[in-house]
Amino acid sequence: MALAAPLLPVLLLLLLGRPGRGAPGQGAGTWSRFARLPYPQDQLFLHDTFPDGFLWGAGSAAYQTEGGWRQGGKGASVWDAFAHRPATPPGAAPPGPVGGDVASDSYNNVFRDVEGLRRLGVSHYRFSLSWSRLLPNGTAPANPAGLAHYRRLLLRLREVGVEPVVTLYHWDLPQALQDAFGGWASPVLPQLFHDYAELCFRHFGGQVRYWLTMDNPYVVAWHGYGTGRLPPGVQGGPRLGYLAAHHLLQAHAKVWHLYNDHFRPTQRGKVSIALGSHWIKPQHMTEKNIKECQKSLDFVLGWFAKPIFIDGDYPESMKSNLSSLLPEFSEVEKKYIKGTADFFALSFGATLSFQLLDSHMKFQQLESISLRQLLYWINSEYNKPQIFIVENSWFVSGTTKRDDAKYIYYLKKFIMETLKAIRYDGVNVFGYTVWSLLDGFEWHRGYSIRRGLFYVDFQSHDKKLMPKSSLLFYQKLIQKNGFPPLPENQPIEGIFPCGFAWGVVDNYIQVDTTPAQFLDSSVYVWDVHQTKKLIKVDGVYTSKRRRHCVDFAAIRLQISLLQEMHVTHFHFSLKWSLILPLGNLSLINHTLVHYYQCFASELLRVNITPVVALWQPMIENQELPVSLAKYGAWENTETVQAFVEYARFCFTSLGDHVKFWITMNEPSVKNLTYTAGHNLLKAHAQVWHLYDKEFRRSQKGKISIALQADWVEPACPFSRNDQEVADRILEFDIGWLAEPIFGNGDYPEVMRAWLHRINSVDLYNFHLPYFSEDEKKLIQGSFDFFALSHYTTTLVGSEKEDAVKYDHYLEVQMINDITWLHSPSRAAVVPWGLRKLLMWVKSKYGNIPIYVMANGIDDDQNTVHDKLRVYYIQNYINEALKAYTLDNVNLQGYFVYSFNDKTAPKYGLYSYVANQYEPKPSMKHYREIIDNNGFPGPKTPELLCPEQVVSCPECHFFRTRKSLFAFISFIFVAFIVTIFFITYYSKRVERRYK
């Protein structure tokens, strides 16, 4: 059974323990710890809530959102100067707004922004003060208009009950200080920053409980003064970059001591510094690579965190590798810097943590977006500090408007990882800040990306805030304080009905028609004197005997494996191209047909029902006879008649053994033209009516078509546009072939309307054929049950975000929920998708019998990862049980895909290595579910099923082996007669001698 979610945190802590007291280098144990976590349990979604009092917020930065660059006496910042250079900032679109001149115009829309915060329901708002708005020249005198602006903002925040988290410096250094002193390259700046901070504490400190001295000093120092990628654009190389960082650390320490000594006693606030970081993972789990990962974090995060949180000095790896490039702190300075943070303020996101990370600081290791592992590393490395995530999110394209699905799922991942860090790893995280509240100027990316919860049309005059889907997601998350367990997420107890079909699938059974030695009519002599071998006698032959099923050794092996599994049904496909190589009855492979007859009869002998598909498309010639594939395949109407003729032959040859037919198994709509699909439907209907009229009465079987049916979910659950896209895809993927058969006899109206639209608007030329009234009557109702194959669930959206995963024809964007469990081939494991699909089929086509004809996942062929298949089978079957029990879906069978790795590599319940089949743990788990007929619990009523009536299986056993038993009887009689004569003549000899 799947491990209950509430027990997981306890289990993980018992297995691995929480980190002890931190120390430099202790974070190196992070990589090995996370490599040992139980799979797949640790990767499952955690349904739980955050601790009471957890802080939820949103943030922004002055230069990104304020605008008003010439309003209210504001002075120029280095970003103003940088943005107005002739060269366009890298990544920014040349047309449109320039830098942050106007941006989101928050300077003129304080009430608009605060109303957005109130609507969102956050507990705090992180924003930055513009140094050049408060001190236009970087030093006194102060600008009254600037002071009034921030007082107005703080007052409004207090009125709506939102706590301010204020950053003193978010990269927008006054240009006057850069011109006069060279900016942070000058030792004068720490004192000037101290003076600026004092002004802010004095004017605003009574209303601010959380202060951040500066944001991400790594970016300011390295890219502002080292590489010159960002303002002020000084290309001073590593030496100047390290010097600027030295001054930034000194400035931060000065401000912390200023607050601690003069303002903390009355204002009772806290001060820290926002440090940005990436996460890195080793290329290989070797000690050397792990050391390189540790060094990478030292060079980015540890550069600033170790002096502040440990000992006032730089990491040893930096000091040993950089030599004279790295400035030194005196002992007095070390003591002054050490401990100058009241909490650990962490920034983690795409733009700052990865895109601005210099490649050489990765030390040839691999970037990763694991926030959880970074939190654990910080916890281990820096004495278990209280952590406040003050910036986190991802981004979407600048063209994306309000349905920002990609943003939602990254946000969901990061928040989930934060929750796991708290619950599983014992990390003390007390707040989370999404970035950002509203769209703005995204630094070196300009307006080419968006990160806001509110959409802003930068070309509009009023700059209204329009809520995105991500805002609705985050709003609900805040209301629930996380992801509380929901009834629909919990497994249920119960069993399936009597006669439920438990099956397994093998696309094509292993066919081995090699004759047994008993079929060899040659005569041999045993050379007992010399070679000791059998020597064939030329020209001498015995009479040939008929072939028997026992001659096929491959059948006996496969049947024994199926028996071991305890399945009641076995589903496989015939090979049309091999049975009728020419596509007609002029050439029949009788040996293969006999093999199929034997296989089916042997299945019946051991009480396993064969489920046989007449045709299943494969890559080579679509598994059609070459003559048909060569001349248009299903585009050609002659293929329809050929299929009917082939089906008649199969019903005649195999119908006595097969009572469960599939006309066509998983015809791939992705590879079908509309004409081919049209003919395919007519072929299916004609074969169904053929069976119904000529064979059903005597053979008493049932027949239908099996469709591939993966579930499609709207990426933004709050978006009407995304819901329309999901409905469209379901009709094109499933309804195209299902609606004519199970519905009204014609194609879905959604398909016809969409094709009409794109043909008229986009000049496409896609035409869906029409059925005549007689054809509609022929096709409609040509089924006995609804058979479907289901493997995964896909998210779809309406906003074009990723050109590689965008379907222009259907105008659909494929989206990935990165919190989902994925197989090695990246197939998503989404058990609830099966239940939704079954309910959808019932709602559209009524309470018809449904069989899940194939359901499975790949693995990487080792025991560890077969745990994924165990989880998959367990939870998909449980969702099927919910559909049967709670939703009253008429579900009559479930089949696992696939039987073995030989015919379906990486999907099998049996591995195949060195010509040997070995049961995987997933096979044994499936067998246990079959034996229990589901998931019975203490309160599950006992279900007494009548024994299935089998028409004398013993008689069948003897009937199919008449020749064998005749031969055995002859040997036995001959043996008795021989013994009699030996005894008789022995006694006569004894009397003679007497």
Side-chain angles (χ1 to χ4, degrees):
M1 296 291 288
L3 188 65
L7 296 178
L8 271 175
V10 178
L11 174 65
L12 291 172
L13 291 172
L14 286 174
L15 287 174
L16 297 172
R18 287 180 172 172
R21 184 166 180 79
Q26 193 164 320
T30 301
W31 292 277
S32 59
R33 177 188 189 271
F34 280 87
R36 300 194 311 270
L37 291 178
Y39 177 87
Q41 286 81 5
D42 182 66
Q43 295 186 21
L44 300 179
F45 195 85
L46 174 58
H47 291 280
D48 203 348
T49 55
F50 284 81
D52 292 341
F54 192 81
L55 302 179
W56 295 104
S60 68
Y63 186 74
Q64 290 186 283
T65 59
E66 273 189 4
W69 80 291
R70 285 180 172 173
Q71 286 182 258
K74 178 185 177 295
S77 72
V78 291
W79 267 98
D80 290 319
F82 194 78
H84 286 90
R85 296 186 312 174
T88 304
V98 175
D101 288 3
V102 179
S104 320
D105 201 22
S106 288
Y107 180 76
N108 296 301
N109 289 281
V110 168
F111 283 82
R112 176 204 68 180
D113 290 358
V114 176
E115 177 58 23
L117 290 162
R118 187 198 62 78
R119 176 177 180 177
L120 182 56
V122 293
S123 58
H124 70 271
Y125 177 45
R126 181 193 169 193
F127 64 94
S128 71
L129 306 175
S130 170
W131 190 345
S132 58
R133 189 177 294 284
L134 290 170
L135 298 173
N137 295 315
T139 59
N143 176 17
L147 292 170
H149 168 72
Y150 292 115
R151 284 199 194 99
R152 186 165 59 250
L153 173 57
L154 288 167
L155 177 62
R156 184 64 183 139
L157 289 173
R158 185 171 62 183
E159 288 173 352
V160 298
V162 174
E163 176 132 38
V165 177
V166 180
T167 308
L168 293 171
Y169 167 61
H170 201 129
W171 306 2
D172 49 353
L173 182 74
Q175 182 63 35
L177 299 184
Q178 182 63 34
D179 294 338
F181 304 105
W184 290 107
S186 169
V188 174
L189 260 289
Q191 182 58 45
L192 297 178
F193 186 57
H194 168 280
D195 298 342
Y196 161 60
E198 185 175 12
L199 171 77
C200 298
F201 293 153
R202 189 168 63 250
H203 282 274
F204 311 126
Q207 301 170 67
V208 178
R209 192 158 61 109
Y210 292 102
W211 290 98
L212 299 173
T213 57
M214 58 186 68
D215 183 87
N216 210 337
Y218 163 82
V219 171
V220 176
W222 193 253
H223 291 302
Y225 295 87
T227 67
R229 287 182 63 187
L230 299 180
V234 179
Q235 298 178 4
R239 186 178 298 278
L240 193 61
Y242 291 123
L243 180 62
H246 203 69
H247 295 151
L248 285 162
L249 276 166
Q250 291 171 331
H252 159 77
K254 272 182 175 293
V255 170
W256 186 89
H257 282 286
L258 167 68
Y259 189 85
N260 191 59
D261 296 342
H262 301 285
F263 294 95
R264 193 190 302 273
T266 56
Q267 296 180 2
R268 302 180 187 279
K270 295 183 178 182
V271 180
S272 189
I273 179 173
L275 300 179
S277 184
H278 61 306
W279 181 247
I280 197 91
K281 63 181 181 180
Q283 290 213 35
H284 306 286
M285 282 298 292
T286 63
E287 185 178 346
K288 178 183 177 183
N289 282 3
I290 289 174
K291 283 183 178 179
E292 294 299 287
C293 289
Q294 182 79 4
K295 188 192 300 183
S296 176
L297 292 172
D298 280 346
F299 269 66
V300 179
L301 179 57
W303 185 3
F304 301 93
K306 182 174 175 287
I308 294 170
F309 290 93
I310 299 295
D311 59 6
D313 202 2
Y314 297 116
E316 289 300 320
S317 59
M318 293 185 73
K319 290 162 67 175
S320 60
N321 280 270
L322 297 174
S323 185
S324 60
L325 284 176
L326 195 65
E328 293 183 3
F329 291 116
S330 67
E331 291 303 317
V332 173
E333 287 176 320
K334 290 177 185 178
K335 291 178 182 178
Y336 191 71
I337 294 172
K338 177 184 175 182
T340 55
D342 300 322
F343 55 91
F344 198 112
L346 176 65
S347 169
F348 185 80
T351 305
L352 309 184
S353 302
F354 297 95
Q355 295 169 6
L356 292 175
L357 175 67
D358 261 23
S359 58
H360 79 273
M361 289 189 178
K362 300 176 193 176
F363 295 98
Q364 299 181 335
Q365 305 308 307
L366 306 173
E367 289 176 85
S368 169
I369 57 171
S370 177
L371 175 56
R372 178 185 170 190
Q373 293 186 47
L374 175 60
L375 290 169
Y376 184 87
W377 185 88
I378 292 169
N379 194 59
S380 302
E381 190 81 3
Y382 300 121
N383 292 327
K384 304 178 70 172
Q386 287 187 310
I387 300 175
F388 191 174
I389 299 173
V390 295
E391 177 178 354
N392 178 237
S393 74
W394 210 247
F395 63 90
V396 292
S397 166
T399 59
T400 299
K401 292 183 170 57
R402 297 174 64 180
D403 291 333
D404 53 343
K406 175 183 169 184
Y407 187 97
I408 288 177
Y409 292 107
Y410 274 94
L411 195 61
K412 182 181 175 185
K413 170 186 168 63
F414 291 137
I415 295 174
M416 168 56 53
E417 291 199 341
T418 303
L419 181 59
K420 286 184 176 180
I422 294 170
R423 297 301 188 195
Y424 289 175
D425 309 325
V427 180
N428 186 0
V429 184
F430 68 91
Y432 179 89
T433 312
V434 70
W435 202 269
S436 64
L437 174 66
L438 66 168
D439 289 335
F441 176 75
E442 289 300 332
W443 308 115
H444 64 298
R445 299 292 298 272
Y447 296 97
S448 66
I449 63 171
R450 293 176 180 269
R451 298 180 71 193
L453 297 173
F454 282 99
Y455 175 81
V456 177
D457 181 355
F458 298 112
Q459 304 298 333
S460 68
H461 176 71
D462 55 8
K463 304 289 189 298
K464 286 184 179 178
L465 297 189
M466 290 176 277
K468 300 182 187 179
S469 292
S470 56
L471 180 134
L472 301 176
F473 167 80
Y474 191 49
Q475 183 184 55
K476 288 186 177 295
L477 189 147
I478 293 171
Q479 291 170 356
K480 297 177 180 179
N481 198 33
F483 311 98
L486 300 173
E488 58 265 32
N489 298 329
Q490 305 304 309
I492 66 167
E493 295 176 344
I495 54 177
F496 289 92
C498 294
F500 190 78
W502 292 104
V504 69
V505 187
D506 204 354
N507 287 339
Y508 296 102
I509 58 174
Q510 178 189 347
V511 175
D512 184 359
T513 57
T514 303
Q517 62 183 26
F518 302 108
L519 296 178
D520 190 351
S521 59
S522 301
V523 175
Y524 297 84
V525 174
W526 189 8
D527 184 0
V528 296
H529 297 293
Q530 296 181 8
T531 64
K532 311 291 184 182
K533 297 180 179 179
L534 292 174
I535 300 175
K536 185 177 180 181
V537 180
D538 295 333
V540 181
Y541 301 95
T542 62
S543 59
K544 289 187 177 181
R545 69 171 177 81
R546 288 176 55 214
R547 291 176 179 266
H548 299 289
C549 293
V550 292
D551 296 328
F552 298 120
I555 292 180
R556 295 198 300 273
L557 174 59
Q558 293 178 79
I559 297 294
S560 67
L561 296 177
L562 290 168
Q563 282 183 284
E564 184 182 16
M565 202 182 302
H566 298 181
V567 293
T568 63
H569 290 65
F570 180 56
H571 173 30
F572 64 93
S573 300
L574 305 177
K575 287 203 168 189
W576 182 5
S577 62
L578 296 183
I579 293 175
L580 302 180
L582 299 181
N584 55 48
L585 298 178
S586 64
L587 179 61
I588 301 171
N589 187 339
H590 290 287
T591 302
L592 180 59
V593 173
H594 179 60
Y595 187 92
Y596 284 133
Q597 290 171 337
C598 287
F599 199 99
S601 66
E602 289 298 296
L603 286 171
L604 291 173
R605 184 180 65 80
V606 297
N607 211 21
I608 297 176
T609 300
V611 181
V612 180
L614 294 171
W615 174 71
Q616 176 167 337
M618 297 297 282
I619 296 176
E620 186 175 358
N621 293 327
Q622 301 182 50
E623 193 42 52
L624 296 171
V626 174
S627 59
L628 298 176
K630 188 177 179 180
Y631 293 102
W634 288 107
E635 299 272 341
N636 190 337
T637 55
E638 291 184 7
T639 304
V640 175
Q641 293 310 312
F643 185 66
V644 174
E645 185 180 17
Y646 160 65
R648 183 189 300 276
F649 173 77
C650 292
F651 295 152
T652 303
S653 304
L654 302 172
D656 289 340
H657 306 291
V658 179
K659 312 300 180 186
F660 200 141
W661 289 100
I662 302 293
T663 56
M664 300 160 176
N665 193 52
E666 297 185 22
S668 174
V669 296
K670 305 293 184 186
N671 301 318
L672 276 181
T673 65
Y674 292 127
T675 300
H678 201 68
N679 289 333
L680 190 146
L681 282 166
K682 290 191 285 188
H684 155 78
Q686 289 185 38
V687 168
W688 187 89
H689 283 283
L690 168 69
Y691 188 84
D692 190 55
K693 293 175 181 177
E694 299 184 23
F695 295 93
R696 190 188 298 276
R697 181 174 298 177
S698 60
Q699 296 182 359
K700 297 180 172 55
K702 53 187 175 182
I703 184 169
S704 196
I705 187 172
L707 304 177
Q708 181 163 343
D710 288 335
W711 181 243
V712 178
E713 186 79 2
C716 295
F718 317 104
S719 167
R720 182 180 299 176
N721 292 336
D722 284 10
Q723 184 62 60
E724 289 178 0
V725 169
D727 292 342
R728 184 188 316 145
I729 299 303
L730 285 170
E731 294 295 355
F732 271 82
D733 283 0
I734 305 173
W736 176 8
L737 300 181
E739 186 65 28
I741 298 170
F742 302 94
N744 61 13
D746 201 357
Y747 296 114
E749 183 56 36
V750 170
M751 286 186 71
R752 289 209 183 276
W754 181 258
L755 292 175
H756 176 74
R757 173 188 173 280
I758 65 171
N759 286 338
S760 59
V761 175
D762 299 325
L763 302 180
Y764 282 106
N765 190 27
F766 295 108
H767 295 288
L768 199 59
Y770 286 88
F771 293 114
S772 67
E773 290 304 314
D774 288 341
E775 288 173 334
K776 288 180 182 178
K777 292 177 182 177
L778 181 78
I779 296 170
Q780 184 181 22
S782 58
F783 69 91
D784 296 332
F785 51 88
F786 196 113
L788 60 90
S789 299
H790 174 83
Y791 303 99
T792 189
T793 290
T794 304
L795 294 171
V796 295
S798 56
E799 294 271 9
K800 182 178 179 180
E801 180 66 34
D802 180 356
V804 176
K805 296 182 178 180
Y806 186 78
D807 186 333
H808 291 271
Y809 172 54
L810 293 175
E811 295 182 10
V812 55
Q813 177 70 63
M814 302 299 172
I815 301 289
N816 181 33
D817 184 340
I818 53 179
T819 66
W820 285 349
L821 197 60
H822 288 82
S823 74
S825 70
R826 301 306 299 161
V829 179
V830 192
W832 52 259
L834 175 58
R835 182 183 177 188
K836 286 198 171 188
L837 172 68
L838 293 172
M839 289 192 291
W840 182 83
V841 172
K842 179 185 175 182
S843 68
K844 278 189 68 70
Y845 304 120
N847 195 34
I848 59 178
I850 301 176
Y851 289 85
V852 178
M853 296 303 298
N855 178 237
I857 197 74
D858 63 290
D859 64 18
D860 62 358
Q861 296 181 315
N862 66 55
T863 305
V864 174
H865 283 80
D866 192 55
K867 292 179 181 178
L868 176 62
R869 185 176 290 105
V870 170
Y871 172 83
Y872 183 98
I873 291 172
Q874 168 87 17
N875 288 277
Y876 271 83
I877 295 178
N878 198 266
E879 291 295 322
L881 180 63
K882 291 178 187 178
Y884 169 73
T885 305
L886 305 178
D887 309 324
N888 295 316
V889 172
N890 187 7
L891 184 63
Q892 299 198 359
Y894 172 90
F895 291 67
V896 166
Y897 181 84
S898 170
F899 181 21
N900 62 74
D901 283 341
K902 183 176 182 180
T903 52
K906 301 183 180 182
Y907 282 85
L909 295 179
Y910 285 89
S911 62
Y912 183 75
V913 180
N915 296 321
Q916 295 291 324
Y917 292 94
E918 291 293 335
K920 298 180 183 179
S922 53
M923 187 285 283
K924 297 175 182 177
H925 189 72
Y926 183 43
R927 181 174 63 193
E928 182 182 349
I929 295 173
I930 294 173
D931 291 343
N932 291 323
N933 200 29
F935 308 94
K939 297 181 180 179
T940 303
E942 186 177 359
L943 183 66
L944 297 176
C945 296
E947 292 291 329
Q948 290 190 353
V949 178
V950 181
S951 60
C952 188
E954 292 82 5
C955 301
H956 180 80
F957 179 78
F958 284 104
R959 264 200 317 270
T960 56
R961 292 166 172 76
K962 288 180 180 178
S963 300
L964 175 63
F965 282 101
F967 176 69
I968 293 173
S969 300
F970 170 77
I971 294 297
F972 179 74
V973 171
F975 174 75
I976 296 298
V977 171
T978 302
I979 294 297
F980 171 77
F981 278 110
I982 290 173
T983 305
Y984 175 76
Y985 282 105
S986 295
K987 289 182 178 179
R988 288 192 62 180
V989 169
E990 287 177 5
R991 285 197 213 99
R992 183 181 304 169
Y993 279 105
K994 288 179 181 178

